[in-house]
Amino acid sequence: VRKRVVKKKIVVKRSHWRSGQKYSGWRQHRPIRDYGRYGLHRPGRGQEWIRVGNDYVLVGVLSGVIFGALAAH
């Protein structure tokens, strides 16, 4: 008997990120503290930048609501 391990690959498309949408998995990502280094503007009060795949996503720290997203260079 052979066991087969299938790993699920999650592919995130650019159009996936929409302002006002909730991103439930945002807590799995480390916040970006040196946002200026990546050309990102300073997050507003209660917001933080996270990197998800090839995108930077600005989320609300309490709600997980997306405020904006940019493609990483």
Side-chain angles (χ1 to χ4, degrees):
V1 177
R2 272 189 177 175
K3 284 190 177 182
R4 217 168 126 199
V5 178
V6 178
K7 289 189 179 181
K8 186 176 178 185
K9 187 176 182 183
I10 299 170
V11 179
V12 179
K13 294 183 177 132
R14 289 268 179 282
S15 60
H16 178 79
W17 306 117
R18 300 209 194 296
S19 292
Q21 176 186 25
K22 251 190 167 177
Y23 176 42
S24 58
W26 72 273
R27 282 191 173 96
Q28 300 167 13
H29 305 278
R30 230 192 254 157
I32 297 172
R33 301 278 180 233
D34 52 347
Y35 47 84
R37 179 179 166 200
Y38 301 101
L40 304 169
H41 64 79
R42 183 185 182 133
R45 182 180 231 130
Q47 299 175 347
E48 64 187 19
W49 285 105
I50 57 172
R51 184 167 180 162
V52 184
N54 286 329
D55 297 313
Y56 296 115
V57 182
L58 184 63
V59 294
V61 290
L62 295 176
S63 61
V65 170
I66 296 170
F67 290 95
L70 291 170
H73 299 294

Coordinates of all heavy atoms in Angstrom, one line a residue:
V1 N 0.9 -1.2 0.0 CA 0.0 0.0 0.0 C 0.9 1.2 0.0 O 1.7 1.4 0.9 CB -0.9 0.0 1.2 CG1 -1.7 1.3 1.3 CG2 -1.8 -1.2 1.3
R2 N 0.7 2.1 -1.0 CA 1.4 3.3 -1.1 C 0.6 4.5 -0.5 O -0.6 4.6 -0.8 CB 1.7 3.7 -2.5 CG 3.0 3.1 -3.0 CD 3.3 3.7 -4.3 NE 4.5 3.2 -4.8 CZ 5.0 3.4 -6.0 NH1 4.3 4.1 -6.9 NH2 6.2 2.9 -6.4
K3 N 1.2 5.3 0.3 CA 0.6 6.5 0.8 C 1.0 7.7 -0.1 O 2.2 7.8 -0.4 CB 0.9 6.8 2.2 CG 0.2 5.9 3.2 CD 0.4 6.4 4.6 CE -0.3 5.5 5.5 NZ -0.2 6.0 6.9
R4 N 0.0 8.5 -0.5 CA 0.3 9.6 -1.3 C 0.0 10.9 -0.6 O -1.1 11.0 0.0 CB -0.6 9.6 -2.6 CG 0.1 10.1 -3.8 CD -0.6 9.7 -5.0 NE -0.8 11.0 -5.7 CZ -1.7 11.2 -6.6 NH1 -2.6 10.2 -7.0 NH2 -1.8 12.3 -7.2
V5 N 1.0 11.8 -0.5 CA 0.8 13.0 0.2 C 0.5 14.1 -0.8 O 1.3 14.3 -1.7 CB 2.0 13.4 1.0 CG1 1.8 14.8 1.7 CG2 2.4 12.3 2.0
V6 N -0.6 14.8 -0.7 CA -1.0 15.8 -1.6 C -0.9 17.1 -0.9 O -1.6 17.3 0.1 CB -2.4 15.6 -2.2 CG1 -2.8 16.7 -3.1 CG2 -2.5 14.3 -2.9
K7 N -0.1 18.0 -1.4 CA 0.0 19.4 -0.7 C -0.8 20.3 -1.5 O -0.7 20.4 -2.8 CB 1.5 19.8 -0.7 CG 2.3 19.1 0.3 CD 3.6 19.7 0.5 CE 4.4 18.9 1.5 NZ 5.7 19.5 1.7
K8 N -1.7 21.1 -0.9 CA -2.5 22.0 -1.5 C -1.7 23.3 -1.8 O -1.2 23.9 -0.9 CB -3.7 22.3 -0.6 CG -4.8 23.2 -1.3 CD -6.0 23.3 -0.4 CE -7.0 24.2 -1.0 NZ -8.1 24.5 -0.2
K9 N -1.7 23.7 -3.0 CA -1.0 24.9 -3.4 C -2.1 26.0 -3.5 O -3.0 25.9 -4.3 CB -0.3 24.7 -4.7 CG 0.6 25.9 -5.0 CD 1.4 25.6 -6.3 CE 2.3 26.8 -6.5 NZ 3.1 26.6 -7.8
I10 N -1.9 27.1 -2.8 CA -2.8 28.2 -2.8 C -2.2 29.3 -3.8 O -1.1 29.8 -3.6 CB -3.1 28.8 -1.4 CG1 -3.7 27.7 -0.5 CG2 -4.0 30.0 -1.5 CD1 -3.7 28.1 0.9
V11 N -3.0 29.6 -4.8 CA -2.5 30.6 -5.8 C -3.4 31.8 -5.6 O -4.7 31.7 -5.7 CB -2.6 30.0 -7.2 CG1 -2.2 31.1 -8.2 CG2 -1.8 28.8 -7.4
V12 N -2.8 32.9 -5.3 CA -3.6 34.1 -5.1 C -3.4 35.0 -6.4 O -2.3 35.3 -6.8 CB -3.1 34.9 -3.9 CG1 -3.8 36.2 -3.7 CG2 -3.2 34.0 -2.6
K13 N -4.6 35.4 -6.9 CA -4.5 36.2 -8.1 C -4.6 37.7 -7.7 O -5.2 38.0 -6.7 CB -5.7 35.9 -9.0 CG -5.6 34.5 -9.6 CD -6.7 34.2 -10.5 CE -6.5 32.8 -11.1 NZ -7.6 32.0 -11.1
R14 N -4.1 38.6 -8.6 CA -4.1 40.0 -8.3 C -5.5 40.5 -8.0 O -5.7 41.3 -7.1 CB -3.6 40.8 -9.5 CG -2.1 40.6 -9.7 CD -1.4 41.7 -9.0 NE 0.1 41.5 -9.2 CZ 0.8 40.7 -8.6 NH1 0.3 39.8 -7.7 NH2 2.1 40.6 -8.8
S15 N -6.5 40.1 -8.7 CA -7.8 40.6 -8.6 C -8.5 40.1 -7.3 O -9.6 40.5 -6.9 CB -8.7 40.1 -9.7 OG -8.7 38.7 -9.8
H16 N -7.8 39.2 -6.6 CA -8.3 38.7 -5.3 C -8.5 39.7 -4.2 O -9.4 39.7 -3.4 CB -7.3 37.6 -4.8 CG -7.7 37.0 -3.5 ND1 -8.7 36.0 -3.4 CD2 -7.3 37.2 -2.3 CE1 -8.8 35.6 -2.2 NE2 -8.0 36.3 -1.4
W17 N -7.6 40.7 -4.2 CA -7.6 41.7 -3.1 C -8.5 42.8 -3.4 O -8.4 43.5 -4.4 CB -6.2 42.3 -2.8 CG -5.2 41.2 -2.6 CD1 -4.1 40.9 -3.4 CD2 -5.2 40.2 -1.5 NE1 -3.4 39.8 -2.8 CE2 -4.0 39.4 -1.7 CE3 -6.0 40.0 -0.4 CZ2 -3.7 38.4 -0.9 CZ3 -5.7 39.0 0.4 CH2 -4.6 38.2 0.2
R18 N -9.5 43.1 -2.6 CA -10.4 44.2 -2.8 C -10.6 44.9 -1.5 O -10.7 44.3 -0.4 CB -11.8 43.6 -3.2 CG -11.8 42.8 -4.4 CD -13.2 43.0 -5.2 NE -13.4 42.0 -6.2 CZ -12.7 41.9 -7.3 NH1 -11.7 42.7 -7.6 NH2 -13.0 41.0 -8.3
S19 N -10.5 46.2 -1.5 CA -10.7 47.1 -0.3 C -12.1 46.8 0.3 O -13.1 46.7 -0.5 CB -10.6 48.5 -0.7 OG -9.2 48.8 -1.1
G20 N -12.1 46.7 1.6 CA -13.4 46.4 2.3 C -13.6 45.0 2.5 O -14.5 44.6 3.3
Q21 N -12.9 44.1 1.8 CA -13.1 42.7 1.9 C -12.3 42.2 3.2 O -11.4 42.8 3.6 CB -12.4 42.0 0.7 CG -12.4 40.5 0.7 CD -11.6 40.0 -0.5 OE1 -10.8 40.6 -1.0 NE2 -11.9 38.8 -0.9
K22 N -12.8 41.2 3.8 CA -12.1 40.6 5.0 C -11.2 39.5 4.6 O -11.5 38.7 3.8 CB -13.2 40.0 5.9 CG -13.3 40.8 7.2 CD -14.2 40.1 8.2 CE -14.0 40.9 9.5 NZ -14.8 40.4 10.6
Y23 N -10.0 39.5 5.2 CA -9.0 38.5 4.9 C -8.8 37.7 6.2 O -8.1 38.2 7.1 CB -7.7 39.1 4.4 CG -6.6 38.1 4.2 CD1 -6.8 36.8 3.6 CD2 -5.3 38.4 4.6 CE1 -5.8 35.9 3.5 CE2 -4.3 37.5 4.4 CZ -4.5 36.2 3.9 OH -3.5 35.3 3.7
S24 N -9.4 36.6 6.3 CA -9.4 35.8 7.6 C -8.0 35.3 8.0 O -7.7 35.1 9.1 CB -10.4 34.7 7.5 OG -10.1 33.8 6.5
G25 N -7.1 35.0 7.0 CA -5.8 34.5 7.3 C -4.7 35.5 7.5 O -3.5 35.1 7.6
W26 N -5.0 36.7 7.7 CA -4.0 37.8 7.8 C -3.1 37.6 9.1 O -1.9 38.0 9.0 CB -4.6 39.2 7.8 CG -5.4 39.5 9.1 CD1 -6.7 39.2 9.4 CD2 -4.9 40.2 10.2 NE1 -7.0 39.7 10.6 CE2 -5.9 40.3 11.2 CE3 -3.6 40.7 10.6 CZ2 -5.7 40.9 12.4 CZ3 -3.5 41.3 11.8 CH2 -4.5 41.4 12.7
R27 N -3.6 37.0 10.1 CA -2.8 36.8 11.3 C -1.6 35.8 11.1 O -0.7 35.8 11.9 CB -3.6 36.3 12.5 CG -4.5 37.4 13.1 CD -5.1 36.9 14.4 NE -5.8 38.0 15.1 CZ -7.1 38.3 15.0 NH1 -7.8 37.5 14.2 NH2 -7.6 39.3 15.6
Q28 N -1.6 35.0 10.1 CA -0.6 34.1 9.8 C 0.7 34.8 9.3 O 1.7 34.2 9.2 CB -1.0 33.0 8.8 CG -2.2 32.2 9.2 CD -2.8 31.5 8.0 OE1 -2.2 31.4 6.9 NE2 -4.0 31.0 8.2
H29 N 0.6 36.0 8.9 CA 1.7 36.7 8.3 C 2.3 37.7 9.3 O 1.6 38.3 10.1 CB 1.2 37.5 7.0 CG 0.5 36.6 6.0 ND1 1.2 35.9 5.1 CD2 -0.8 36.3 5.8 CE1 0.3 35.2 4.4 NE2 -0.9 35.4 4.8
R30 N 3.6 37.9 9.1 CA 4.3 38.8 10.0 C 4.1 40.2 9.5 O 4.2 40.5 8.3 CB 5.8 38.5 9.9 CG 6.4 38.4 11.3 CD 7.9 38.4 11.2 NE 8.3 37.0 11.5 CZ 9.5 36.6 11.1 NH1 10.3 37.3 10.4 NH2 9.8 35.4 11.4
P31 N 3.8 41.2 10.3 CA 3.7 42.6 9.9 C 5.0 43.1 9.4 O 6.0 42.8 9.9 CB 3.2 43.3 11.1 CG 3.5 42.5 12.3 CD 3.6 41.0 11.8
I32 N 4.9 44.0 8.4 CA 6.1 44.7 7.8 C 6.3 46.0 8.6 O 5.4 46.9 8.5 CB 5.9 45.0 6.3 CG1 5.8 43.7 5.6 CG2 7.1 45.8 5.8 CD1 5.4 43.8 4.1
R33 N 7.3 46.0 9.4 CA 7.6 47.2 10.2 C 8.4 48.3 9.4 O 8.2 49.5 9.6 CB 8.4 46.9 11.5 CG 7.7 45.9 12.3 CD 6.7 46.5 13.2 NE 6.0 45.5 14.1 CZ 4.7 45.4 14.1 NH1 3.9 46.2 13.5 NH2 4.2 44.5 14.9
D34 N 9.3 47.9 8.5 CA 10.1 48.8 7.8 C 9.5 49.0 6.4 O 10.1 48.8 5.4 CB 11.6 48.3 7.7 CG 11.7 46.9 7.1 OD1 10.6 46.2 7.1 OD2 12.8 46.5 6.8
Y35 N 8.2 49.5 6.4 CA 7.4 49.7 5.2 C 8.0 50.6 4.2 O 7.9 50.5 3.0 CB 6.0 50.1 5.5 CG 5.9 51.2 6.6 CD1 6.1 52.5 6.2 CD2 5.8 50.9 7.9 CE1 6.0 53.5 7.1 CE2 5.7 51.9 8.9 CZ 5.9 53.2 8.5 OH 5.8 54.2 9.4
G36 N 8.8 51.6 4.7 CA 9.4 52.6 3.8 C 10.5 52.0 2.9 O 10.6 52.4 1.7
R37 N 11.1 50.9 3.4 CA 12.1 50.2 2.6 C 11.5 49.5 1.4 O 12.1 49.3 0.4 CB 12.7 49.1 3.5 CG 13.7 48.3 2.9 CD 14.3 47.3 3.9 NE 15.0 46.2 3.2 CZ 15.3 45.1 3.7 NH1 14.9 44.8 4.9 NH2 15.9 44.2 3.0
Y38 N 10.2 49.2 1.5 CA 9.5 48.5 0.3 C 8.7 49.5 -0.5 O 7.9 49.1 -1.3 CB 8.6 47.4 0.9 CG 9.3 46.4 1.7 CD1 9.4 46.4 3.1 CD2 10.1 45.4 1.0 CE1 10.1 45.4 3.8 CE2 10.8 44.4 1.7 CZ 10.8 44.5 3.1 OH 11.5 43.5 3.8
G39 N 8.8 50.8 -0.2 CA 8.1 51.8 -1.0 C 6.6 51.9 -0.6 O 5.8 52.4 -1.3
L40 N 6.3 51.5 0.6 CA 4.9 51.5 1.1 C 4.7 52.7 2.0 O 5.6 53.1 2.7 CB 4.6 50.2 1.9 CG 4.9 48.9 1.2 CD1 4.8 47.7 2.3 CD2 3.9 48.7 0.1
H41 N 3.5 53.3 1.9 CA 3.2 54.4 2.8 C 3.0 54.0 4.2 O 2.7 52.8 4.5 CB 2.0 55.3 2.2 CG 0.7 54.5 2.3 ND1 0.0 54.3 3.4 CD2 0.0 53.9 1.3 CE1 -1.1 53.6 3.1 NE2 -1.1 53.3 1.8
R42 N 3.1 54.9 5.1 CA 2.9 54.6 6.5 C 1.4 54.1 6.8 O 0.5 54.8 6.3 CB 3.2 55.8 7.4 CG 3.1 55.6 8.8 CD 3.2 56.9 9.6 NE 3.2 56.7 11.0 CZ 4.0 57.2 11.9 NH1 5.0 58.0 11.5 NH2 3.9 56.9 13.1
P43 N 1.3 53.0 7.4 CA -0.1 52.5 7.7 C -0.8 53.4 8.7 O -0.2 54.0 9.5 CB 0.1 51.1 8.3 CG 1.5 51.0 8.7 CD 2.3 52.1 8.0
G44 N -2.1 53.5 8.5 CA -2.9 54.4 9.4 C -3.1 53.7 10.8 O -2.6 52.6 11.0
R45 N -3.7 54.4 11.7 CA -3.9 53.9 13.0 C -4.7 52.6 12.9 O -5.8 52.6 12.3 CB -4.6 55.0 13.8 CG -4.8 54.5 15.3 CD -5.6 55.6 16.0 NE -4.8 55.9 17.2 CZ -4.5 57.1 17.7 NH1 -4.8 58.1 17.0 NH2 -3.8 57.2 18.8
G46 N -4.2 51.6 13.6 CA -5.0 50.3 13.6 C -4.8 49.5 12.3 O -5.5 48.5 12.1
Q47 N -3.8 49.8 11.5 CA -3.6 49.1 10.3 C -2.1 48.6 10.2 O -1.3 49.2 10.9 CB -3.8 50.0 9.0 CG -5.2 50.6 8.9 CD -5.3 51.5 7.7 OE1 -4.3 52.0 7.2 NE2 -6.5 51.9 7.4
E48 N -1.9 47.6 9.4 CA -0.5 47.2 9.2 C -0.3 46.5 7.9 O -1.3 45.9 7.3 CB 0.0 46.2 10.3 CG -0.7 44.9 10.4 CD -0.3 44.1 11.7 OE1 0.2 44.7 12.6 OE2 -0.6 42.9 11.7
W49 N 0.9 46.6 7.3 CA 1.2 45.9 6.1 C 1.6 44.5 6.3 O 2.4 44.3 7.3 CB 2.3 46.7 5.3 CG 2.0 48.0 4.7 CD1 2.3 49.2 5.2 CD2 1.2 48.2 3.5 NE1 1.8 50.2 4.3 CE2 1.1 49.6 3.3 CE3 0.7 47.3 2.5 CZ2 0.5 50.1 2.2 CZ3 0.0 47.9 1.4 CH2 -0.1 49.2 1.3
I50 N 1.2 43.6 5.5 CA 1.6 42.2 5.5 C 2.0 41.8 4.1 O 1.5 42.4 3.2 CB 0.6 41.2 6.1 CG1 -0.7 41.3 5.3 CG2 0.4 41.5 7.6 CD1 -1.7 40.2 5.7
R51 N 2.9 40.8 4.0 CA 3.2 40.3 2.7 C 2.5 39.0 2.5 O 2.7 38.1 3.3 CB 4.7 40.1 2.5 CG 5.0 39.7 1.1 CD 6.5 39.8 0.7 NE 6.7 39.4 -0.6 CZ 7.7 39.7 -1.4 NH1 8.7 40.4 -0.9 NH2 7.8 39.2 -2.6
V52 N 1.8 38.9 1.4 CA 1.1 37.6 1.1 C 1.5 37.2 -0.3 O 1.1 37.9 -1.3 CB -0.5 37.8 1.1 CG1 -1.2 36.5 0.9 CG2 -0.9 38.4 2.5
G53 N 2.3 36.2 -0.4 CA 2.8 35.8 -1.7 C 3.6 36.9 -2.4 O 4.6 37.4 -1.8
N54 N 3.2 37.4 -3.5 CA 3.9 38.5 -4.2 C 3.2 39.8 -4.0 O 3.3 40.7 -4.9 CB 4.0 38.2 -5.7 CG 5.1 37.1 -5.9 OD1 6.1 37.0 -5.2 ND2 4.9 36.3 -6.9
D55 N 2.4 40.0 -3.0 CA 1.6 41.2 -2.8 C 1.8 41.7 -1.4 O 2.1 41.0 -0.4 CB 0.1 40.9 -3.0 CG -0.2 40.5 -4.4 OD1 0.3 41.2 -5.3 OD2 -1.0 39.6 -4.6
Y56 N 1.7 43.0 -1.2 CA 1.7 43.7 0.1 C 0.2 44.1 0.3 O -0.4 44.7 -0.5 CB 2.6 44.9 0.1 CG 4.0 44.6 -0.1 CD1 4.7 45.1 -1.2 CD2 4.7 43.9 0.9 CE1 6.1 44.8 -1.4 CE2 6.1 43.6 0.7 CZ 6.7 44.1 -0.4 OH 8.1 43.8 -0.6
V57 N -0.3 43.7 1.4 CA -1.7 43.9 1.7 C -1.8 44.8 3.0 O -1.2 44.4 4.0 CB -2.5 42.6 1.9 CG1 -4.0 42.9 2.1 CG2 -2.3 41.8 0.6
L58 N -2.6 45.8 3.0 CA -2.8 46.7 4.2 C -4.1 46.2 4.8 O -5.1 46.3 4.2 CB -2.9 48.2 3.7 CG -3.0 49.2 4.8 CD1 -1.8 49.2 5.7 CD2 -3.2 50.6 4.2
V59 N -4.0 45.8 6.1 CA -5.1 45.2 6.8 C -5.4 45.9 8.1 O -4.4 46.5 8.7 CB -5.0 43.7 7.1 CG1 -5.0 42.9 5.8 CG2 -3.8 43.4 7.9
G60 N -6.6 45.9 8.5 CA -7.0 46.4 9.9 C -6.6 45.4 10.9 O -6.9 44.2 10.8
V61 N -5.9 45.8 12.0 CA -5.4 44.8 12.9 C -6.5 44.2 13.8 O -6.3 43.1 14.3 CB -4.3 45.4 13.9 CG1 -3.0 45.6 13.1 CG2 -4.8 46.7 14.6
L62 N -7.6 44.8 13.9 CA -8.7 44.2 14.7 C -9.6 43.4 13.9 O -10.1 42.4 14.3 CB -9.4 45.3 15.5 CG -8.7 46.1 16.5 CD1 -9.5 47.2 17.1 CD2 -8.2 45.2 17.6
S63 N -9.9 43.9 12.7 CA -11.0 43.3 11.9 C -10.5 42.4 10.7 O -11.2 41.5 10.3 CB -11.8 44.4 11.2 OG -11.0 45.2 10.4
G64 N -9.2 42.6 10.3 CA -8.7 41.9 9.1 C -9.3 42.4 7.8 O -9.1 41.8 6.8
V65 N -9.9 43.6 7.8 CA -10.5 44.2 6.6 C -9.3 44.8 5.8 O -8.4 45.4 6.4 CB -11.5 45.3 7.0 CG1 -11.9 46.1 5.7 CG2 -12.7 44.7 7.6
I66 N -9.4 44.6 4.5 CA -8.3 45.0 3.6 C -8.6 46.5 3.2 O -9.7 46.9 2.9 CB -8.3 44.2 2.3 CG1 -7.9 42.8 2.7 CG2 -7.3 44.8 1.3 CD1 -8.1 41.8 1.6
F67 N -7.5 47.3 3.4 CA -7.6 48.7 3.0 C -6.9 49.0 1.7 O -7.0 50.1 1.2 CB -7.0 49.6 4.2 CG -7.9 49.6 5.4 CD1 -7.6 48.8 6.4 CD2 -8.9 50.5 5.5 CE1 -8.4 48.7 7.6 CE2 -9.8 50.5 6.6 CZ -9.5 49.6 7.7
G68 N -6.1 48.1 1.3 CA -5.3 48.3 0.0 C -4.3 47.2 -0.2 O -4.1 46.4 0.7
A69 N -3.9 47.1 -1.5 CA -2.9 46.1 -1.8 C -2.0 46.6 -3.0 O -2.4 47.4 -3.8 CB -3.6 44.8 -2.2
L70 N -0.7 46.2 -2.9 CA 0.2 46.5 -4.0 C 1.0 45.3 -4.3 O 1.3 44.4 -3.5 CB 1.2 47.6 -3.5 CG 0.7 49.0 -3.2 CD1 1.7 49.8 -2.5 CD2 0.3 49.6 -4.5
A71 N 1.4 45.2 -5.6 CA 2.2 44.1 -6.0 C 3.7 44.3 -5.5 O 4.2 45.4 -5.6 CB 2.2 43.9 -7.5
A72 N 4.3 43.3 -5.0 CA 5.7 43.4 -4.6 C 6.6 43.4 -5.8 O 6.3 42.8 -6.9 CB 6.1 42.2 -3.7
H73 N 7.7 44.1 -5.7 CA 8.6 44.3 -6.9 C 9.6 43.2 -6.9 O 10.2 42.8 -5.9 CB 9.4 45.6 -6.8 CG 8.4 46.8 -6.8 ND1 7.7 47.1 -7.9 CD2 8.1 47.7 -5.9 CE1 6.9 48.2 -7.7 NE2 7.2 48.5 -6.4

